[in-house]
Amino acid sequence: MASPNNPKANNSTEESQHPTNKNNPSRGFEEIVSTLPRGKGWRTEHLHQYQGFWYATRFLPGVLSLQAHFRPRPTDVLLVTYPKSGTTWLKALALSLTGRSKHHDYYTSSHPLLAGSPHDSVPFLEFSALGNPTNPNPDLPLMATHIPYSSLPRSVSETKCRIVCLLRDPKDVLVSLWHFTSKHRSKELPPVSLEEAFELFCQGVSPQGPFWDHALGYWKASLEYPERVLVLKYEELKKEPFVSVKRLAEFLGCPFTSQEEKEGGVDKVIEFCSFEKLSNLEVNKTGKTFGGAVESSAFFRKGEVGDSVNHLTPEMIERIDQITKQKFEAFNIYA
Ligand code: PAP
């Protein structure tokens, strides 16, 4: 299979794989973007297709910069999601698990999750890359990204740093994404209806879409490199949090001791990072994240499995399930 940022991963030319590299120092970002295929944007006017996936304009400079410069440490862990698959939850869990020796009592004021959104503690690489593209988050071994596997900087596989990917049912992803992007869509642009968003999503024209290709990239990588890539599912985290959280802790290199387990250590993390607890923290109710650009509360809507039945028609559900079955058939992911 294609390794991260392998030129064989799609049909683009060698030049478009590395548009910011040394051979092309004079090419400005805007010029590069103008050469990429355009699709309808959900939150902003356009999406741009780069290496087979669609990106909002503001994401691309960071992606290009990371591909050219990013150097993770072997001890780093990349938290990866397709947007609206439970990123906030995964960040909170990973932060709580890796920091639990320092913060015994989760509800003390020094815990980072009491001081800011999980997005402040574990920023997205592609947003912070322009400031320091070699390693945007040097103080923490945790980093987050929505970048598809085949477009990850090569250094990710070279350094063998670990990857945790959280997957979610595409129907719930679509509904969550539509709610979020509708709320934050520029007021100067006409709204995107759920019907239109549904069509775009099915065609793969959604931020970091096609959803199915994004999921498959990480799924296949987890089969090929199980020691380096762990895939979890939102639905399983909800249903059997104890099993999933223990697995995550082991993968992150901070397994629970039997003493900790006996003392309810796993349950404490699960509870602290639950939708109910996190969404009711003052900092998430009233604070802002992404440099003040987004209310932290926007990342907490319902936090349920299956809310899509309340928004999609039976025909829509059938069509998405059909695509999922066809795309994931050989892999038994969400079939
Ligand atoms: P992002 O990819 O843009 O960072 P992300 O956190 O994945 O966002 O998406 C938010 C979704 O995760 C919301 O789903 P919903 O719209 O279906 O409700 C949000 O409610 C859900 N979410 C946030 N925190 C949690 C949590 N602790 N447990 C479960 N779901 C959560």
Side-chain angles (χ1 to χ4, degrees):
M1 69 169 288
S3 61
N5 205 8
N6 180 339
K8 288 187 186 148
N10 58 56
N11 297 328
S12 6
T13 62
E14 183 67 29
E15 184 186 0
S16 71
Q17 291 286 331
H18 295 285
T20 57
N21 75 11
K22 296 176 212 90
N23 302 330
N24 252 325
S26 59
R27 286 189 75 185
F29 168 71
E30 280 167 24
E31 193 193 332
I32 295 161
V33 170
S34 71
T35 66
L36 300 174
R38 267 189 194 180
K40 173 141 186 171
W42 291 50
R43 197 172 155 188
T44 49
E45 196 169 8
H46 302 296
L47 291 178
H48 309 273
Q49 194 183 36
Y50 176 64
Q51 297 183 338
F53 289 87
W54 294 93
Y55 295 87
T57 318
R58 68 187 189 293
F59 260 103
L60 272 172
V63 176
L64 302 180
S65 173
L66 289 167
Q67 288 187 340
H69 305 289
F70 184 51
R71 291 304 307 171
R73 294 155 297 200
T75 47
D76 285 339
V77 182
L78 222 52
L79 307 179
V80 188
T81 45
Y82 182 86
K84 304 301 158 198
S85 299
T87 321
T88 314
W89 193 12
L90 179 62
K91 287 180 177 184
L93 283 169
L95 205 61
S96 303
L97 288 170
T98 53
R100 69 186 193 278
S101 59
K102 215 159 93 192
H103 304 284
H104 295 289
D105 178 1
Y106 295 102
Y107 298 96
T108 59
S109 58
S110 63
H111 199 288
L113 289 179
L114 302 181
S117 161
H119 294 289
D120 298 334
S121 296
V122 190
F124 287 103
L125 284 175
E126 47 274 49
F127 278 142
S128 38
L130 294 180
N132 180 4
T134 310
N135 186 346
N137 201 8
D139 301 330
L140 199 71
L142 299 172
M143 315 175 176
T145 187
H146 288 319
I147 299 176
Y149 184 74
S150 55
S151 291
L152 285 178
R154 280 203 186 93
S155 54
V156 171
S157 60
E158 285 164 6
T159 52
K160 297 191 166 39
C161 72
R162 282 158 296 159
I163 296 173
V164 179
C165 175
L166 182 61
L167 297 183
R168 190 180 188 188
D169 185 306
K171 301 185 290 295
D172 288 343
V173 167
L174 161 64
V175 167
S176 183
L177 187 62
W178 177 73
H179 273 106
F180 184 88
T181 51
S182 299
K183 194 170 166 197
H184 295 94
R185 186 165 163 85
S186 163
K187 300 288 169 260
E188 283 137 41
L189 298 171
V192 175
S193 68
L194 179 57
E195 289 69 26
E196 193 179 359
F198 168 80
E199 276 304 326
L200 291 166
F201 190 82
C202 289
Q203 289 161 21
V205 188
S206 56
Q208 280 80 17
F211 165 87
W212 295 273
D213 296 352
H214 193 286
L216 271 177
Y218 285 99
W219 188 267
K220 288 180 189 172
S222 75
L223 298 180
E224 199 165 351
Y225 312 108
E227 68 295 344
R228 279 208 299 117
V229 185
L230 173 72
V231 175
L232 297 172
K233 288 185 185 168
Y234 184 100
E235 295 74 18
E236 287 173 2
L237 253 179
K238 275 276 183 189
K239 200 170 159 200
E240 290 195 285
F242 196 88
V243 176
S244 296
V245 168
K246 267 186 68 177
R247 203 166 155 215
L248 179 59
E250 274 160 32
F251 187 81
L252 292 173
C254 52
F256 286 93
T257 61
S258 43
Q259 184 66 21
E260 270 187 298
E261 260 191 61
K262 256 192 251 155
E263 288 169 359
V266 187
D267 295 314
K268 275 187 207 161
V269 173
I270 293 169
E271 194 207 329
F272 185 56
C273 297
S274 68
F275 180 86
E276 292 66 31
K277 286 281 179 213
L278 272 190
S279 61
N280 280 307
L281 291 178
E282 200 50 38
V283 74
N284 290 324
K285 284 203 290 191
T286 57
K288 290 194 169 193
T289 183
F290 291 95
V294 188
E295 320 82 57
S296 303
S297 60
F299 294 91
F300 302 95
R301 193 180 61 91
K302 284 196 167 176
E304 289 170 4
V305 172
D307 178 50
S308 49
V309 294
N310 301 314
H311 299 274
L312 304 179
T313 64
E315 292 74 28
M316 288 166 148
I317 289 176
E318 199 186 324
R319 185 156 154 218
I320 294 208
D321 283 346
Q322 200 55 40
I323 299 173
T324 304
K325 200 171 160 206
Q326 186 204 336
K327 294 262 191 182
F328 289 173
E329 201 163 30
F331 298 96
N332 197 23
I333 308 177
Y334 277 104

